[in-house]
Amino acid sequence: MEIYKMKAHELRDMIKNKEIKVEEVVGAFIERISKVEGKLEAWLYIDEEKALVKAKELDKKIASGEELEGLWGIPVGIKDNISVKNMKNTCASKMLENYIAPYDAYVVSKIKEKHGIILGKLNMDEFGMGSSTENSAFKKTKNPWDLRKVPGGSSGGSAAAVASREVPLALGSDTGGSVRQPAAFCGVVGLKPTYGRVSRYGLTAFGSTLDQVGTFGADVEDCALLTEVISGFDRRDSTSANIPVPNYIQSLSKNLKGKKIGVPKELFCGNLQEEVTSAIREALGVLQDNGAEIRECSLPFIEYSLADYYIISSAEASSNLARFDGVRYGFRTKDAKTLEELYIKSRSEGFGEEVKRRIMLGTYVLSKGYYDAYYRKALKVRQLIKEDFKKVFKEFHAVISPTSPTIAFDFNEKSKDIMAMYSVDIYTVPINLAGLPAISVPCGFVKNLPVGLQIIGDYFKEDNLFNIAYSYEQSTQWHKKIPNI
Ligand code: GLN
């Protein structure tokens, strides 16, 4: 079989058994990139040379009998809002077009420590704001299943690169669905960990109480492998949880006996595409056949989550993005006469339309006259959404929903209709508001485009999610399909 078609865990085993060299693996993915990247446009920066040097270094260690553990030289792509030392970190914004990160994010240092090879940086919606990657200031990443469709967003580059096998593993970030939704649109596995499970040190902040770094893999085992590498306590992130990380690979069993899975009645309404509903219902049947007990549950406050998310995330974004002022770093306007003009022009010219919209909305809901009416109320609603989930998890091990109400859409289809674009996030944002973990796994195809099944778990129960997702995956064939690009 061709190298690029193989899963990360398969390649790792071959490297371990000395059946293949790291250099060959890295070379195969570089070659794959050179073949498809012209059509796909998933990367913003690639460092082939450094990757090959690193590969040779690891091959030497392996030849001398060293046990590398972890990633064994497997290439990884990184979303361009996660710092990799000496690589650009543009957040797909003109504001940071020439910014080079002076340090490694915690997750990146863990990947390096565990012998992963960083291939480069992946395209995204500017500062993570969007659901289609159309908001990148630099390029439009395509969906590898159909180049006329968007890959989802905001981690569209990461999802498209893994789906097209330009790279076996990738990192993204998920503030309101940006790992799970593009994973669903591109037919790969994507996990958003519990808030606090993975350090945010070195992740450019969007909504600090919502952001988590998440993982992409071509199957559940690959996703679990990368998640295990990046999870754990970091004293440089004050919200990082000091809770031991279980062995996720060990939780990959097909048996779901004793697992209670809830299906919220509120989730199967609204603008859910009919074919998506039937794919989810079929998936429920598979889970039941594997021993799970499926029952209806209720999340009454979930209908407010979209409004709640866009108030809270925009408020936090407006505060986080205040640091881009044209003075300290990033883009600076050429012709400002006064300090105030420098701020205004640098920000007007450096930020894209969607980022400016969020900053304005956020500033508005935090302003003196509207704070109580919008921001404070949104915080209260957030608490009610959390309590809904708490009640459900007293009874259930996991909750199921679609990842997205639709399959991948056309370019320009929703970019002019902001509400339509925002509503795509209906199933993913409640999870970030509650701080819970959730995974998206492929569960079918409609018109040759993938559908994603979202499995939501209780706090720090990622192992449960991997168990259920793996059980489902091993009973279906979706993870074996590769787009013909
Ligand atoms: N699509 C959502 C937004 O635009 C989520 C983004 C994200 O998770 N980074 O805010």
Side-chain angles (χ1 to χ4, degrees):
M1 183 148 59
E2 276 156 295
I3 294 173
Y4 75 85
K5 288 189 176 162
M6 296 176 69
K7 308 286 194 293
H9 60 89
E10 295 167 342
L11 291 169
R12 179 209 51 204
D13 291 344
M14 286 177 74
I15 294 170
K16 216 169 157 172
N17 299 331
K18 300 197 174 131
E19 290 161 40
I20 195 173
K21 284 191 165 159
V22 176
E23 195 182 347
E24 286 172 77
V25 172
V26 172
F29 285 101
I30 291 175
E31 196 191 320
R32 175 72 179 158
I33 291 174
S34 70
K35 285 223 171 88
V36 300
E37 180 59 10
K39 292 185 249 179
L40 203 66
E41 300 195 88
W43 299 80
L44 290 176
Y45 179 83
I46 300 174
D47 197 338
E48 300 172 2
E49 249 169 69
K50 218 181 263 165
L52 286 169
V53 169
K54 187 80 205 160
K56 281 185 197 146
E57 210 179 279
L58 292 182
D59 277 331
K60 264 194 206 139
K61 287 190 182 175
I62 296 168
S64 70
E66 211 174 298
E67 280 286 310
L68 291 188
E69 70 177 55
L71 295 170
W72 286 84
I74 301 297
V76 188
I78 311 284
K79 187 178 182 179
D80 207 24
N81 61 348
I82 300 170
S83 293
V84 179
K85 191 173 176 178
N86 297 331
M87 282 193 192
K88 281 194 171 189
N89 191 55
T90 70
C91 298
S93 178
K94 196 176 159 193
M95 189 56 100
L96 290 174
E97 193 169 0
N98 300 312
Y99 173 74
I100 293 173
Y103 67 100
D104 280 330
Y106 173 83
V107 288
V108 168
S109 62
K110 290 300 270 190
I111 288 172
K112 289 182 175 172
E113 205 180 293
K114 295 282 179 183
H115 314 287
I117 294 187
I118 308 234
L119 219 46
K121 305 298 295 286
L122 291 153
N123 197 23
M124 56 184 283
D125 283 299
E126 186 177 4
F127 286 103
M129 298 173 194
S131 309
S132 64
T133 312
E134 287 167 288
N135 294 336
S136 165
F138 305 121
K139 48 174 76 163
K140 293 212 187 323
T141 301
K142 320 294 182 298
N143 190 310
W145 295 95
D146 180 342
L147 300 174
R148 294 164 302 179
K149 307 283 176 186
V150 301
S154 64
S155 314
S158 308
V162 172
S164 62
R165 303 293 200 275
E166 285 189 318
V167 70
L169 298 170
L171 289 185
S173 67
D174 191 313
T175 306
S178 283
V179 166
R180 292 159 285 155
Q181 185 255 20
F185 277 20
C186 292
V188 294
V189 179
L191 172 91
K192 175 228 169 280
T194 309
Y195 186 80
R197 174 86 289 179
V198 175
S199 167
R200 290 179 293 112
Y201 177 77
L203 165 70
T204 311
F206 163 8
S208 310
T209 71
L210 303 155
D211 298 337
Q212 270 293 281
V213 173
T215 45
F216 289 94
D219 68 5
V220 176
E221 184 166 350
D222 279 3
C223 186
L225 174 70
L226 186 57
T227 307
E228 207 172 291
V229 167
I230 63 162
S231 295
F233 176 67
D234 173 22
R235 61 174 178 81
R236 288 167 302 182
D237 171 1
S238 60
T239 59
S240 164
N242 200 350
I243 296 175
V245 181
N247 181 331
Y248 293 136
I249 304 297
Q250 259 171 25
S251 59
L252 303 177
S253 117
K254 222 176 145 178
N255 187 1
L256 295 181
K257 249 209 159 77
K259 290 266 152 61
K260 288 187 189 142
I261 297 178
V263 184
K265 56 178 183 216
E266 294 82 0
L267 290 180
F268 286 96
C269 49
N271 297 329
L272 187 55
Q273 248 174 15
E274 217 178 285
E275 296 98 324
V276 174
T277 313
S278 29
I280 302 297
R281 294 217 186 276
E282 264 176 50
L284 290 172
V286 173
L287 294 173
Q288 200 159 21
D289 289 347
N290 290 356
E293 186 189 325
I294 314 266
R295 264 187 300 130
E296 192 178 79
C297 65
S298 177
L299 296 164
F301 286 102
I302 208 153
E303 66 170 298
Y304 303 106
S305 48
L306 258 188
D308 203 46
Y309 167 80
Y310 276 94
I311 291 174
I312 293 175
S313 65
S314 301
E316 295 183 13
S318 74
S319 162
N320 277 323
L321 269 55
R323 72 191 66 173
F324 302 105
D325 53 10
V327 176
R328 282 168 287 191
Y329 50 79
F331 176 83
R332 178 182 295 179
T333 186
K334 296 225 159 33
D335 59 338
K337 289 180 191 65
T338 64
L339 180 62
E340 197 175 338
E341 211 177 275
L342 176 82
Y343 291 148
I344 293 173
K345 283 198 169 162
S346 298
R347 288 167 69 80
S348 304
E349 292 161 22
F351 287 136
E353 200 179 308
E354 182 60 26
V355 173
K356 282 189 252 190
R357 181 180 294 116
R358 306 276 179 117
I359 293 174
M360 284 196 281
L361 180 63
T363 309
Y364 178 80
V365 300
L366 288 175
S367 62
K368 193 158 175 256
Y370 296 97
Y371 182 94
D372 285 337
Y374 293 108
Y375 183 68
R376 193 191 296 276
K377 191 171 274 169
L379 292 182
K380 287 183 185 159
V381 172
R382 182 177 193 175
Q383 195 54 36
L384 294 172
I385 293 170
K386 265 189 201 168
E387 276 158 26
D388 266 2
F389 277 110
K390 240 184 211 157
K391 267 182 228 148
V392 165
F393 284 119
K394 279 205 179 111
E395 222 184 301
F396 295 94
H397 294 96
V399 171
I400 294 282
S401 84
T403 305
S404 165
T406 69
I407 49 174
F409 44 86
D410 289 330
F411 285 94
N412 301 320
E413 188 181 322
K414 297 186 196 284
S415 48
K416 295 285 166 271
D417 180 352
I418 298 311
M419 285 313 289
M421 186 68 91
Y422 290 0
S423 1
V424 171
D425 305 331
I426 181 151
Y427 299 122
T428 49
V429 297
I431 317 313
N432 300 70
L433 288 166
L436 294 163
I439 194 168
S440 179
V441 264
C443 72
F445 280 78
V446 176
K447 300 185 196 114
N448 200 34
L449 285 166
V451 181
L453 172 77
Q454 178 172 240
I455 310 167
I456 308 155
D458 203 355
Y459 297 105
F460 300 101
K461 292 284 185 216
E462 283 81 1
D463 46 352
N464 249 334
L465 297 185
F466 286 129
N467 175 197
I468 298 167
Y470 181 80
S471 167
Y472 172 75
E473 177 191 81
Q474 294 302 307
S475 309
T476 54
Q477 299 295 319
W478 314 120
H479 64 292
K480 298 197 173 135
K481 288 183 72 157
I482 293 182
N484 194 4
I485 172 174

